[in-house]
Amino acid sequence: MECIVEGNAAHLSGRVLSGPVFNHKTYGEAFYLIVIGIFRRSGYEDRIRLIVSEKILGGRSPREGELIEIHGQVRTYNREVDGRSRLEVTVFAREMEYRSGDDFTYENRISMEGFICKDPVRRTSPLGREICDLMIAVNRMYNKSDYIPSIAWGRNAVYAETLRVGDKVSAEGRIQSRDYRKFTDEGYLVTKTAYEVSVGRIEKV
């Protein structure tokens, strides 16, 4: 069932945290937002947002706590929030299956092939780890592209810093959620969530 579609494949297995909530309608078909939780080995639970069509749901709504498996693609789009453009990162479900606890394993695998579209930014984390921020443009049908924020660590970060805008790369990793705090224009400290692909392997094609 798993395949790379136009250089972009996501294979996720997790538990339903919330949803489905109506998101939008395209060509008469409704799409819904579902949030699933996927545990890392460290015990941290990533909260991943899925976009699922009414056709994929098949008239049944996943309930909180149920286990599901998703095959799809990482998708991004810009949404205006408080007068500013914000990049939304989701996983678009092409297939969905319900799983039981007997044979269930949490999965979070992303494979993509695309182009570096911003200069990589290498930095050091507060704990002293090497990090490199990347933006990878992945083409899809109808002359559209998804701009996927990614982050490389350690030796991958050192290598990623050598990449240049326009370089074609192949990368694998996992999609993650990360909470951070920032001050608003009014001076209030708020907690926000960033979504990105944590790169485990990257190479120039």
Side-chain angles (χ1 to χ4, degrees):
M1 181 167 64
E2 182 177 2
C3 62
I4 295 181
V5 183
E6 298 134 22
N8 185 340
H11 176 203
L12 309 179
S13 295
R15 67 186 184 101
V16 177
L17 299 180
S18 66
V21 176
F22 177 78
N23 185 263
H24 68 279
K25 182 175 281 191
T26 302
Y27 298 114
E29 184 173 16
F31 292 82
Y32 296 85
L33 177 68
I34 297 173
V35 179
I36 64 171
I38 305 176
F39 283 102
R40 304 182 195 175
R41 293 179 181 176
S42 65
Y44 180 85
E45 186 177 33
D46 287 301
R47 303 179 305 278
I48 308 304
R49 299 179 303 169
L50 310 176
I51 297 294
V52 186
S53 71
E54 58 184 345
K55 180 180 178 181
I56 296 294
L57 288 176
R60 183 190 184 300
S61 295
R63 297 183 298 272
E64 186 175 330
E66 284 194 300
L67 305 173
I68 60 174
E69 180 177 3
I70 295 290
H71 289 265
Q73 296 176 290
V74 180
R75 292 281 178 88
T76 64
Y77 61 95
N78 287 305
R79 183 167 69 93
E80 190 168 307
V81 179
D82 298 328
R84 296 181 179 180
S85 181
R86 177 178 177 180
L87 185 70
E88 297 282 347
V89 182
T90 62
V91 171
F92 180 84
R94 288 182 176 269
E95 300 178 47
M96 184 182 80
E97 295 182 6
Y98 291 92
R99 294 299 185 202
S100 67
D102 298 332
D103 61 348
F104 185 78
T105 302
Y106 286 98
E107 296 282 353
N108 188 342
R109 300 203 307 270
I110 305 296
S111 301
M112 54 186 177
E113 190 171 284
F115 298 87
I116 300 296
C117 58
K118 288 179 65 176
D119 288 326
V121 178
R122 183 175 161 189
R123 54 194 172 88
T124 304
S125 75
L127 297 178
R129 293 190 66 186
E130 293 292 331
I131 303 173
C132 190
D133 296 309
L134 301 164
M135 186 68 77
I136 300 176
V138 179
N139 295 329
R140 57 181 162 104
M141 295 176 64
Y142 309 116
N143 295 318
K144 294 184 178 181
S145 297
D146 293 292
Y147 297 90
I148 302 173
S150 306
I151 185 168
W153 306 81
R155 287 183 296 178
N156 282 328
V158 175
Y159 172 75
E161 187 187 26
T162 68
L163 298 170
R164 295 293 175 261
V165 172
D167 284 346
K168 187 175 184 180
V169 297
S170 172
E172 295 177 354
R174 58 179 168 80
I175 187 168
Q176 65 180 21
S177 61
R178 174 174 53 84
D179 291 337
Y180 66 97
R181 305 179 76 187
K182 67 175 293 185
F183 285 98
T184 65
D185 294 338
E186 294 76 25
Y188 297 105
L189 186 62
V190 296
T191 299
K192 296 192 174 185
T193 303
Y195 300 90
E196 61 207 357
V197 172
S198 178
V199 174
R201 179 196 66 80
I202 185 168
E203 61 183 5
K204 187 176 176 180
V205 177

